[in-house]
Amino acid sequence: MGDLSRFGQWCYFLVYMLLLLKIEGASIPITIVETAKARGAVCLDGSPPAYHYDKGYGTGANNWIVHMEGGGWCDDLESCSQRKDTYKGSSLKMEKTMGFSGILGGKQSANPDFYNWNRIKIKYCDGSSFTGDVEVVDAKTNLHFRGERIWQAVIDDLLAKGMRNAQNAILSGCSAGGLAAILHCDKFRSLLPASARVKCVSDAGFFIHGKDVAGGRHIENFFGSVVRLHGSAKSLPASCTAKMRPELCFFPQYVAQTMRTPLFLINSAYDSWQIKNVLAPSAVDKKGSWKSCKLDLKKCSAAQLQTVQDFRTQFIGALSGGVTNKPANGYFINSCYAHCQSGSLATWLADKSPVVSNTKIGKAVGDWFYDRATFQKIDCPYPCNPTCVKIDSDS
C-alpha cells in the first residue's frame, strides 16, 4: 500500500506540474502548416510555415490574439542564405515547444485582460516582415521569398479553427513583427466579422525614416533593398503605395497616415535597435566612435547624447502624421533604452515593470483595447524615468 500511496502522490504531483506548465504557457507545441506548401507559402528554405497556439477558454474562447515574431530582415542573397539554415529561415530548425509570457501570458494575475484568449505566435522565417511574394525561386541558393503568402496561409488556418467567429481580436508583434502588425493591420480587420472589436498592437515596430549621424538615410537604403529583393511592393498597403515609393511604405510613419484600424504603439523614444541601426549604423560609423555609446547611453559623450536627444525629436515628429493625431489610437512611449517590451512579464505587468504616468504597459493596452480608458502618453526625456528596465532583444 505504501508503494501505491507514493505512486499516487507522484501521479498527483505530475498532473499538478503539467497543469502548472499549461497555466504558465511553458510548453506550447508548434503547429506546422503543411497545406501551405501547395500555395507556395514557405520559409526561405522552402519548408512550411509554423506557429504556436494556446487555445482560449471560458470568457476568452472567442477572442484571438495573433502575435508575430520578430528577428530583423535580410536584404541580399548572402544575408538571406545565412538565415535559411537557422530557425529564422526554416521551420525544420524551429523549437518544437515554447513558452508564452507578457501579452501572450496564460496566467490571469500576470495578463488579466488576455490570459484566456486564443493566443498565437506566428514564427518568423521569411526575413521581410511577412511581405515577400516572388514566384521565381533563386536557382543557386534555393531561396524562397514568400512572407506575404506565409501570413495569409497562417491566418487562413486560424480562421478555419474558429477565428472567423472572433468577438475580439488583436494583431500584434515585436520588432520586425511589430512592423508587420502595422503593415497587415487593416487587412487583418477586413478578414474578421464586422461586429468584432479588432485592434492592432505594435511593439518596437515603429521604425522611423530617420537621419543617421552622417546626415544620410542609411535605413531607407536598407529597407529599399529588402522591398526589392522580396518583391514586397504589391503586398504593402495600397493606400500608401498609391502615393509614394514602395520602400517608403515600409516605414510605419507613412502607412499609419491612412490606417483605419485602431493602433496601439509600444515603443521607446530611444529604441536601442534604432539607435544602433538607424542613427549610428556601423556602415556609417566606420571608426567605431559610437560603439560604447550604443551599448550604454551612460557612456555617450555630451555631444553624442545631444544627438540621441535629437533622434528622440525625430521619433516624436514621425508619430504626428498617423499615430498621435488619431483619437482611436493609443501609445506608450517611454524613455527606456529598450527594444521590445510586451513579450516579457518583467516589462509587461510585473511589480517592477516600467511605467509612464504611473501606468504599466499591460494595463495601458488592456484599458485601451476594452475602451475603459484612453492612453496616449509620451515619457519625459532620458534619463528621467527611474522605472526603466534595460531590455535589449530583437525577438
Side-chain angles (χ1 to χ4, degrees), residues 125-194:
C125 64
D126 65 273
S128 71
S129 284
F130 299 94
T131 63
D133 192 0
V134 176
E135 181 65 33
V136 178
V137 178
D138 186 81
K140 292 183 179 179
T141 62
N142 194 38
L143 284 167
H144 298 69
F145 302 115
R146 307 283 179 76
E148 171 66 23
R149 297 191 198 184
I150 287 174
W151 187 84
Q152 191 63 62
V154 171
I155 294 299
D156 285 348
D157 204 51
L158 296 174
L159 289 169
K161 288 182 176 178
M163 194 170 71
R164 62 163 59 100
N165 300 314
Q167 295 174 350
N168 295 287
I170 292 174
L171 182 68
S172 70
C174 156
S175 192
L179 171 58
I182 294 173
L183 298 178
H184 291 86
C185 183
D186 283 344
K187 189 183 302 181
F188 182 72
R189 160 70 274 188
S190 72
L191 296 172
L192 297 175

Side-chain angles (χ1 to χ4, degrees), residues 150-305:
I150 287 174
W151 187 84
Q152 191 63 62
V154 171
I155 294 299
D156 285 348
D157 204 51
L158 296 174
L159 289 169
K161 288 182 176 178
M163 194 170 71
R164 62 163 59 100
N165 300 314
Q167 295 174 350
N168 295 287
I170 292 174
L171 182 68
S172 70
C174 156
S175 192
L179 171 58
I182 294 173
L183 298 178
H184 291 86
C185 183
D186 283 344
K187 189 183 302 181
F188 182 72
R189 160 70 274 188
S190 72
L191 296 172
L192 297 175
S195 59
R197 180 193 279 116
V198 181
K199 301 183 181 183
C200 300
V201 177
S202 173
D203 177 14
F206 202 88
F207 300 94
I208 69 168
H209 187 209
K211 290 184 179 181
D212 56 50
V213 292
R217 296 188 187 273
H218 175 80
I219 190 64
E220 179 184 325
N221 294 330
F222 177 72
F223 276 175
S225 296
V226 173
V227 168
R228 287 187 293 273
L229 178 68
H230 291 266
S232 301
K234 57 190 173 186
S235 303
L236 297 172
S239 56
C240 180
T241 56
K243 299 189 302 180
M244 56 184 65
R245 289 180 286 125
E247 59 265 33
L248 295 182
C249 294
F250 213 68
F251 288 99
Q253 67 198 79
Y254 304 122
V255 174
Q257 293 175 9
T258 54
M259 279 179 63
R260 301 180 303 277
T261 309
L263 170 69
F264 195 100
L265 202 63
I266 304 165
N267 230 104
S268 170
Y270 306 89
D271 183 277
S272 57
W273 191 94
Q274 295 198 57
I275 297 294
K276 295 170 183 174
N277 297 280
V278 178
L279 178 63
S282 298
V284 172
D285 179 36
K286 295 180 179 179
K287 294 182 178 180
S289 59
W290 277 80
K291 186 175 181 180
S292 295
C293 176
K294 290 191 293 184
L295 289 173
D296 185 350
L297 295 187
K298 296 184 181 68
K299 296 179 180 178
C300 296
S301 68
Q304 287 174 328
L305 190 56

Side-chain angles (χ1 to χ4, degrees), residues 57-80:
Y57 61 93
T59 57
N62 291 317
N63 300 336
W64 296 73
I65 181 165
V66 180
H67 184 87
M68 290 171 287
E69 190 176 51
W73 308 268
C74 58
D75 69 325
D76 56 28
L77 294 180
E78 182 181 0
S79 59
C80 289

